């Protein structure tokens, strides 16, 4: 029973001592006056009960030594409290600076996006004008090959020899295309390159997909067919088509303006196309085939 009481008293004493010490850490001057009072009381007792002047002198010297020691302790605690306050201030400043940095990043991102959109929609207006010109040109007036008017697509369809290298054929054909159609192809890829390389999407590349969709929404299947064939002349364009899914709206399952030879889609990876790709490959028995199988 006595051991249990002693244990409880010890625990309670430790708790009280810790609480009191925390108070002293927050207010070191309280510790100073508290220790000064204790030391002064002990000194007075020593003077009262001193048997000789030598004992009193020794007690007097010890008194000032003890006060000096208390002063050192209090100074250390004051410095510690000051350092803790400085740490709190530095932490608050760091949090504030991080908040300002994030805000500046957001402002910079917004400004970059605004500059990008100004340039993008200006280019888009120019692209729509060029697209209209190409559709009004004499080679693009008819979107129906049955009407007898030649389009770049019908030239490929009628004159391309299965044994001829398609890239050489397209390179020759591209030289003879009307200026408006050449401008269309070049302007399209200039806008794609503008989107792809702009600083506004340096850290968030997936954000540019919506702007590519805005650009592609103006294209019809015949324009996709022309872009499809002119792209196979340039590895950089093939890479862009694959990475940016440029032909995701190219209707491969329609009857008009699809690739003249099914294996021509193998110039690109499946990522370049949309949901029609798998069914298109299945219909033409191209599963597991590669472009090299047809170029040999």
């Amino acid at each position: 029973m006595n051991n249990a009481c002693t244990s409880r008293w010890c625990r309670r004493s430790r708790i009280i001592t810790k609480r009191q010490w925390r108070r002293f850490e927050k207010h070191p001057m309280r510790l100073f006056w508290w220790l000064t009072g204790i030391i002064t009381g002990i000194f007075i007792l020593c003077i009262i009960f001193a048997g000789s002047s030598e004992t009193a002198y020794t007690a007097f010297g010890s008194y000032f030594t003890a006060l000096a020691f208390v002063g050192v302790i209090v100074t250390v605690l004051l410095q510690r409290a000051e350092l803790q306050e400085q740490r709190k201030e530095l932490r608050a400043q760091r949090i504030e600076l991080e908040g300002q940095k994030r805000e500046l990043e957001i402002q910079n991102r917004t400004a970059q996006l605004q500059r990008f959109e100004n340039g993008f929609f200006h280019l888009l207006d120019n692209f729509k004008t060029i697209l209209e010109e190409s559709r009004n040109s004499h080679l693009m007036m008819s979107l129906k090959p049955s009407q007898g008017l030649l389009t770049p697509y019908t030239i490929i369809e009628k004159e391309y020899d299965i044994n001829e290298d398609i890239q050489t054929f397209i390179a020759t054909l591209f030289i003879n295309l009307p200026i408006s159609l050449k401008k269309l192809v070049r302007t399209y890829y200039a806008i794609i390159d503008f989107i792809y390389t702009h600083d506004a999407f340096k850290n968030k590349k997936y954000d540019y997909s919506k702007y590519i969709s805005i650009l592609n929404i103006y294209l019809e299947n015949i324009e996709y067919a022309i872009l499809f064939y002119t792209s196979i002349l340039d590895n950089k364009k093939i890479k862009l088509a694959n990475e940016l899914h440029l032909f995701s709206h190219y209707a491969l399952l329609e009857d008009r303006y699809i690739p003249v030879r099914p294996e021509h889609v193998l110039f690109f990876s499946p990522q370049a196309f949309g949901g029609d790709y798998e069914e298109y490959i299945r219909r033409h028995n191209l599963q597991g085939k590669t472009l090299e199988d047809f170029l040999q």
Side-chain angles (χ1 to χ4, degrees), residues 134 136-142 149-152 155 176-178:
S134 71
N136 291 332
S137 68
H138 69 283
L139 285 179
M140 296 289 286
M141 283 293 290
S142 173
L149 292 177
L150 291 180
T151 68
I155 293 174
N176 299 317
L177 289 182

Side-chain angles (χ1 to χ4, degrees), residues 138-178:
H138 69 283
L139 285 179
M140 296 289 286
M141 283 293 290
S142 173
L143 298 182
K144 296 181 179 180
S146 60
Q147 292 184 1
L149 292 177
L150 291 180
T151 68
Y153 179 86
T154 56
I155 293 174
I156 299 172
E157 192 175 37
K158 290 183 178 182
E159 299 186 12
Y160 171 62
D161 185 352
I162 188 172
N163 296 316
E164 187 175 0
D165 177 24
I166 185 63
Q167 290 177 305
T168 303
F169 180 84
I170 295 299
T172 304
L173 176 63
F174 188 76
I175 295 174
N176 299 317
L177 289 182

Side-chain angles (χ1 to χ4, degrees), residues 216 219-228 246-247 249-250:
N216 287 350
L219 299 177
E220 296 180 0
N221 224 40
I222 189 168
E223 281 101 30
Y224 276 116
I226 298 302
L227 289 171
F228 175 90
L246 295 187
F247 301 132
H249 297 294
Y250 187 11

Side-chain angles (χ1 to χ4, degrees), residues 15-287:
I15 293 171
I16 293 172
T17 302
K18 287 180 180 178
R19 288 178 181 174
Q20 191 63 38
W21 179 252
R22 292 194 189 99
R23 294 193 185 99
F24 287 149
E25 283 185 323
K26 292 180 181 178
H27 306 284
M29 291 306 298
R30 289 184 182 178
L31 178 62
F32 175 77
W33 294 117
W34 188 74
L35 291 176
T36 299
I38 292 175
I39 292 170
T40 301
I42 294 172
F43 171 73
I44 293 172
L45 291 175
C46 290
I47 294 298
I48 293 173
F49 293 103
S52 62
S53 59
E54 183 178 350
T55 304
Y57 178 78
T58 303
F60 189 75
S62 299
Y63 173 71
F64 282 102
T65 302
L67 288 180
F69 182 70
V70 170
V72 171
I73 294 175
V74 172
T75 301
V76 171
L77 290 176
L78 285 171
Q79 290 177 345
R80 181 180 177 184
E82 185 177 355
L83 287 173
Q84 287 178 343
E85 289 298 321
Q86 289 177 354
R87 288 194 190 98
K88 289 180 181 179
E89 290 179 4
L90 289 173
R91 192 178 298 112
Q93 289 177 359
R94 186 169 61 251
I95 293 172
E96 184 178 357
L97 287 173
E98 289 175 353
Q100 291 176 352
K101 181 181 178 181
R102 285 194 295 270
E103 186 175 350
L104 286 173
E105 288 176 351
I106 293 172
Q107 290 176 353
N108 184 48
R109 162 91 175 143
T110 302
Q112 282 184 334
L113 194 58
Q114 287 177 344
R115 289 194 298 270
F116 164 78
E117 288 189 344
N118 290 337
F120 171 75
F121 286 108
H122 175 74
L123 291 172
L124 185 63
D125 289 338
N126 185 46
F127 177 74
K128 288 190 287 186
T129 301
I130 294 172
L131 184 61
E132 190 65 27
E133 289 175 0
S134 71
R135 287 175 179 172
N136 291 332
S137 68
H138 69 283
L139 285 179
M140 296 289 286
M141 283 293 290
S142 173
L143 298 182
K144 296 181 179 180
S146 60
Q147 292 184 1
L149 292 177
L150 291 180
T151 68
Y153 179 86
T154 56
I155 293 174
I156 299 172
E157 192 175 37
K158 290 183 178 182
E159 299 186 12
Y160 171 62
D161 185 352
I162 188 172
N163 296 316
E164 187 175 0
D165 177 24
I166 185 63
Q167 290 177 305
T168 303
F169 180 84
I170 295 299
T172 304
L173 176 63
F174 188 76
I175 295 174
N176 299 317
L177 289 182
I179 294 176
S180 60
L181 193 55
K182 290 180 181 179
K183 284 173 61 180
L184 173 67
V185 174
R186 288 167 179 162
T187 303
Y188 177 83
Y189 276 102
I191 297 175
I192 292 297
D193 187 67
F194 173 75
I195 298 171
Y196 184 71
T197 59
H198 201 279
D199 289 341
F201 307 113
K202 184 179 294 183
N203 298 322
K204 294 184 177 180
K205 288 295 185 183
Y206 56 84
D207 282 353
Y208 52 45
S209 59
K210 61 182 178 182
Y211 295 100
I212 294 174
S213 296
I214 292 173
L215 176 63
N216 287 350
I217 200 172
Y218 295 98
L219 299 177
E220 296 180 0
N221 224 40
I222 189 168
E223 281 101 30
Y224 276 116
I226 298 302
L227 289 171
F228 175 90
Y229 277 108
T230 54
S231 296
I232 69 175
L233 300 177
D234 188 342
N235 288 332
K236 181 180 178 181
K237 291 178 181 177
I238 292 176
K239 178 183 176 182
L240 288 174
N242 293 338
E243 185 172 346
L244 305 182
H245 314 280
L246 295 187
F247 301 132
S248 58
H249 297 294
Y250 187 11
L252 294 174
L253 300 181
E254 285 190 3
D255 294 331
R256 294 170 16 182
Y257 311 116
I258 58 176
V260 174
R261 300 292 301 174
E263 62 268 18
H264 290 165
V265 300
L266 300 176
F267 276 99
F268 304 89
S269 70
Q271 289 76 19
F273 304 94
D276 288 355
Y277 181 81
E278 294 296 333
E279 177 63 17
Y280 182 82
I281 291 294
R282 189 189 65 78
R283 287 186 185 183
H284 295 90
N285 298 317
L286 294 176
Q287 299 96 323

